[in-house]
Each structure stands twice: as structure tokens, then as C-alpha cells.
Amino acid sequence: MAEDRGRIAGKTAFVTGGASGLGLDIVRRFVAEGASVVIADIDAAAGEALAAELGQRFVKLDVSNEGDWLAALGPCDRIDILVNNAGITTMGSIEDLTLAAFRHEFAVDVDGVFLGCKHIIPKMKDHGGSVINMSSMCGVRAQADLAGYNAAKAAVTHLTKSVALHYAAKGYGIRCNSVHPGAIHTAMIDKVMAQVDDPEALYAGFVATHPVGRLGKPEEVSSIVLYLASDESAFATGAEFRIDGGSSL
Ligand SMILES: NC(=O)c1ccc[n+]([C@@H]2O[C@H](COP(=O)([O-])OP(=O)(O)OC[C@H]3O[C@@H](n4cnc5c(N)ncnc54)[C@H](O)[C@@H]3O)[C@@H](O)[C@H]2O)c1
């Protein structure tokens, strides 16, 4: 029997927001499945510690900054997998949200994905690859108190389709798909709860919106991301992969 070297053995991955939450779980999963991973994050302390633990490389990157992208990707010879995972969640309705907060949400969650999809092309187009954009169930179904996040994640969903069509038309062999988690208990959920007066009620509200009666686990998201990163998903592009306990139904 052939030795099982892992589902993405020999591939190089670049994971934004890789120092915490879903990104951290994706990084661990990719390494366990044989990939080399560049962990890119704005949080250098957490990113460097994780890179040292796993024997991988860390690069400090603010995904909303084009210069940071060029500097981070410059030394990379070849990348097979890009996970545009970094994101923030700003609570607020159309009435509460300031224009500055709305623009910041877009700078990180949309500009960040745009810049990744754009500047990865020279690193992938000669051999092909997979780009995975982290959208959300909130990019499919809206909530009154998440106007900026809803709009940003919906933008990621549709940007993914445009990018997928372009990559395909050019014959680059690059696929681009979006992933739509429901509420997954990570540091992001704790940060969202810290923005409201009654965090317990908010948490109960999250659970209530998931027909399966619970929040998701990071590994349930990284399983889909691993599938999209691997050659098993070779015919999938421009698609929305929902992993949300039925919350978008
Ligand atoms: N947790 C959830 O319930 C959930 C649900 C749906 C979608 N998502 C999406 O999944 C992604 C990851 O979420 P998470 O729950 O792991 O969040 P998290 O807060 O635990 O981790 C986000 C990571 O991104 C990094 N980051 C933030 N701003 C950055 C920037 N400008 N440049 C580079 N790195 C930056 C943070 O330092 C952190 O390491 C986000 O895009 C989020 O919108 C999360």
C-alpha cells in the first residue's frame, strides 16, 4: 500500500489571519496534511509563536495594505493555496454604524480579499492553485445589527465568482471558491460579545438561529477548507460552500 503523505503534501499555502481562530485551525490542519504554510497576520506575537511551534514561516501582514501584500509575497517562489481568511466583525445597524467603521470593515474584509486574489496571480498562474475566500453565513442572510459585516461578506461572495471566471477565462488553472460558516466559537465571537450590553443574550441568540441547536467548531470549517485546498475539489470554482448548521435556510 502506498504511504499516505497527506492530502496536500508538497504544496505551499499562504493563510491570512492564520494566528488565531479559524485561521489557526486551518494552519494546523494544512501542516498535518503535509503542506508548508506561510502564516500571515497583523498579530506578530501570536503568529511568530505559532510559526515557531509548527516549524513554519510567519509574515506580518495587514491585509488592507497593498504594500504589505507585495512585501509578503515577494520572497515566495511558489504558492499553491491562498486562504483569504483574515476578517473583523463590527456590530452596528445602518443607524448606529459610523461611515468610518463601515469603511474599516470593508478595508479589512473586502479590500483584503481583493488584494489577495489579485497579487497571488503571478505566484500561481504557471502551475495553478486554489484560492479560498472566507465569507460567512452573514454574506447570504442579513441581520439588522450587522450592516457593515453583511455587506462586506456579500461582497466577498460575489467578488469570488468574478475572480473565478477571470482565472478560468485566462487558463491559469486557479480555482476560487467562498466558504460560509455559521457562528463558530472563536476569539471573533468573544470580540463581538464584548461589543454588546448583554453578551449572554447575544450568545443564546446565536444558538437559536442555528437549526441544529449549537454553534460550529473550527475543525468543521477547516475540513471544507482542506477539501477546497486539495486536488479532490479540482472541478469546483466560483461556488459557495455553506457550513452553518442550517442557519442560512
Ligand atoms: N467565528 C465565526 O463565527 C465566523 C463565522 C463566519 C465567518 N467567519 C470569518 O472567518 C474569518 C476568521 O474569523 P475568526 O472567527 O477566526 O476570527 P478571529 O478574530 O479569531 O481571528 C482573525 C484573525 O485575523 C487577524 N486579522 C485581523 N485583522 C487583520 C488584518 N487587517 N490583517 C491581517 N490579519 C488580520 C487577527 O489578528 C486574527 O488572528 C473571518 O473572515 C470571519 O469573518 C467567522
Side-chain angles (χ1 to χ4, degrees), residues 27-112:
V27 168
R28 286 193 190 282
R29 195 73 175 271
F30 279 7
V31 171
E33 292 290 345
S36 301
V37 182
V38 181
I39 302 162
D41 205 290
I42 203 166
D43 182 344
E48 275 165 5
L50 181 65
E53 179 202 325
L54 297 176
Q56 304 298 313
R57 199 157 75 76
F58 170 75
V59 61
K60 189 166 191 289
L61 168 76
D62 175 351
V63 291
S64 67
N65 184 311
E66 188 162 29
D68 278 12
W69 272 104
L70 296 172
L73 291 175
C76 300
D77 292 333
R78 170 195 173 115
I79 296 172
D80 304 284
I81 302 158
L82 168 65
V83 186
N84 282 312
N85 162 76
I88 56 169
T89 306
T90 313
M91 295 293 294
S93 69
I94 186 66
E95 213 169 347
D96 307 328
L97 210 57
T98 64
L99 180 59
F102 184 79
R103 284 184 174 157
H104 182 57
E105 180 77 52
F106 263 67
V108 178
D109 287 14
V110 185
D111 295 7

Side-chain angles (χ1 to χ4, degrees), residues 7 22 26 130-140 153 156-158 160-161 164 175-184 220-249:
R7 288 163 66 187
L22 299 183
I26 292 163
S130 176
V131 174
I132 301 147
N133 294 334
M134 196 61 78
S135 178
S136 169
M137 174 270 284
C138 299
V140 179
K153 291 302 188 180
V156 169
T157 309
H158 221 57
T160 299
K161 297 178 197 306
R175 302 179 291 110
C176 186
N177 293 285
S178 57
V179 173
H180 302 258
I184 314 291
E220 292 170 331
V221 177
S222 54
S223 289
I224 290 217
V225 174
L226 174 62
Y227 165 72
L228 290 172
S230 77
D231 296 338
E232 297 157 27
S233 58
F235 198 50
T237 197
E240 297 169 27
F241 286 80
R242 297 185 191 180
I243 173 84
D244 65 8
S247 61
S248 60
L249 300 175

